[in-house]
Amino acid sequence: ANVFVSMNGYNPLVFYKYPDTLQEGLSKFTTKTYEGSGVECQTIPGDKYQKMVLFVGKFADWKRLDMVLKAAKRYEAKYPDCCTVIAGTGQPGDVKYYHEMAFKELGLEK
C-alpha cells in the first residue's frame, strides 16, 4: 500500500483534547458549504460515529486535501462508523473545488 505522510506541525496550546466525547463534540457542529451550492447545512449526527479523521488547514493544493478526500472514499466505505471532518478556509474557488470533489466526483456522503 502507498502511504503519504505530510509532516505539519501543530501548537498543543491551541489544539488539545477537549473533555467531550467524540459523539458529543461532533453533534455540536453543523456542515458548511460554499455560497451558491444549493446544499443545506446540517447538524452532524455524532452518535453515528466512533472514529474520526480530521483535516485542519487551508484549502490549497499544497496541503493535499485531495489525498485526504480520496483516502476518505476508501476508509469510509470500509469503516461506516468513521467520518471525515474538514476544517479550514481558502479562496472561494478552492472551497468550491474541494467541496465538489468530495460530493460530486468522489461521491462522499459523510
Side-chain angles (χ1 to χ4, degrees), residues 11-12 30 42 68 75 88-89 94 98 100 110:
N11 183 342
T30 58
Q42 301 174 5
V68 174
Y75 64 73
T89 61
D94 293 332
Y98 289 112
E100 290 185 352
K110 304 183 229 176

Side-chain angles (χ1 to χ4, degrees), residues 8 11 14 16 29 32 35 38 47 50-52 66 68 70 84-85 106:
N8 295 313
N11 183 342
V14 176
Y16 55 90
F29 293 96
K32 304 288 184 212
E35 188 174 328
D47 59 336
Q50 299 298 315
K51 301 175 191 82
M52 174 181 67
D66 60 328
V68 174
K70 289 174 183 176
T84 305
V85 175
L106 298 172

Side-chain angles (χ1 to χ4, degrees), residues 58-70:
K58 185 173 182 161
F59 287 27
D61 60 349
W62 70 87
K63 295 291 187 172
R64 299 312 311 252
L65 177 53
D66 60 328
M67 297 304 293
V68 174
L69 296 174
K70 289 174 183 176

